[in-house]
Amino acid sequence: ELKVEQNPLFLSMQEGKNYTIYCNYSTTSDRLYWYRQDPGKSLESLFVLLSNGAVKQEGRLMASLDTKARLSTLHITAAVHDLSATYFCAVVPFQGAQKLVFGQGTRLTINP
Amino acid sequence: DAGVTQSPTHLIKTRGQQVTLRCSPKSGHDTVSWYQQALGQGPQFIFQYYEEEERQRGNFPDRFSGHQFPNYSSELNVNALLLGDSALYLCASSPLRSGTISFYGYTFGSGTRLTVV
């Protein structure tokens, strides 16, 4: 059964710093998604990564995928307070699967 | 363009009762999935509906059931509520005729916060 693990689970950082969230998954998958969730709110889609070596960037966030290592990273550059949220990675467990398997989430707090 | 809408937003029920949650998918979407998100956890897949049929189910007991209507809207029913059923229930939709998760993933609703006391 596919397992998705994120680390760290909690991250407190200062504005202006850089940091990386890691997402490891246990079996082969051809799609990985990153979502953002604000407290009490729904999930907002950030990135979809479809192939080995894929890199996507939006503002201060950049996501990458290494399917051979079964690893995705979400890199935050020069963090700002507005990026405080919980970030989830999610993986399609096999081709044709009807579900996403989510990691536990990384709660990111960015302090002024 | 309305996204995924869920109702109610909050609900308090007593252990042993039954509850029905409702979801209207985003316009142009025909596939609806339900997820349970316990506090501090990632969402867990309950089941997916497409063409009014349950296509796949996660590891949830039969107390969890659902329905999809011809207009693509969906209901999640939970019988014999347990304290452990307290969670945020998220509905997610995927584009028309996809029958599966589109390459762009799901659009999620804002959820229904269910508290069982």
Side-chain angles (χ1 to χ4, degrees):
Chain A
E1 183 178 336
L2 172 64
K3 293 190 185 304
V4 181
E5 294 186 346
Q6 292 181 231
N7 71 85
L9 299 183
F10 298 92
L11 178 56
S12 180
M13 54 194 291
Q14 288 187 318
E15 282 191 329
K17 301 292 187 182
N18 302 333
Y19 210 82
T20 300
I21 299 170
Y22 298 88
C23 173
N24 289 90
Y25 52 99
S26 60
T27 63
T28 302
S29 174
D30 62 354
R31 274 180 282 166
L32 187 140
Y33 301 85
W34 284 97
Y35 286 90
R36 167 182 171 149
Q37 187 176 40
D38 292 299
K41 304 294 185 182
S42 188
L43 296 166
E44 174 191 353
S45 179
L46 295 175
F47 301 108
V48 53
L49 302 168
L50 300 177
S51 61
N52 188 42
V55 177
K56 296 280 186 70
Q57 183 162 8
E58 181 72 33
R60 301 176 187 274
L61 300 178
M62 182 174 71
S64 66
L65 178 63
D66 181 343
T67 57
K68 294 178 182 177
R70 299 174 187 163
L71 170 69
S72 179
T73 61
L74 181 66
H75 187 72
I76 303 148
T77 302
V80 293
H81 179 69
D82 286 352
L83 290 179
S84 297
T86 299
Y87 293 85
F88 292 95
C89 63
V91 177
V92 178
F94 53 85
Q95 194 172 14
Q98 310 302 324
K99 67 178 182 181
L100 293 175
V101 178
F102 283 81
Q104 315 96 303
T106 297
R107 184 179 296 180
L108 173 63
T109 302
I110 299 170
N111 305 303
Chain B
D1 178 26
V4 179
T5 57
Q6 293 186 243
S7 64
T9 55
H10 296 84
L11 203 51
I12 299 175
K13 287 287 189 178
T14 302
R15 191 171 47 184
Q17 284 188 317
Q18 178 264 345
V19 67
T20 297
L21 311 181
R22 295 177 175 82
C23 171
S24 293
K26 183 177 179 178
S27 177
H29 288 191
D30 64 347
T31 303
V32 173
S33 300
W34 288 91
Y35 285 77
Q36 180 195 65
Q37 186 178 20
L39 199 61
Q41 302 294 318
Q44 287 198 306
F45 176 77
I46 303 175
F47 43 54
Q48 184 191 71
Y49 277 85
Y50 174 63
E51 295 185 330
E52 302 180 46
E53 291 188 359
E54 184 182 292
R55 292 286 301 276
Q56 190 174 37
R57 188 180 184 89
N59 295 325
F60 281 81
D62 292 344
R63 299 186 297 108
F64 289 77
S65 63
H67 188 77
Q68 186 178 35
F69 299 94
N71 67 352
Y72 308 128
S73 67
S74 177
E75 289 182 349
L76 165 65
N77 301 293
V78 187
N79 294 323
L81 284 166
L82 304 174
L83 296 178
D85 295 333
S86 296
L88 179 68
Y89 288 85
L90 295 166
C91 172
S93 69
S94 301
L96 195 64
R97 290 188 294 278
S98 67
T100 182
I101 304 168
S102 82
F103 281 111
Y104 300 97
Y106 289 127
T107 300
F108 281 86
S110 298
T112 295
R113 173 73 62 187
L114 172 64
T115 302
V116 181
V117 297

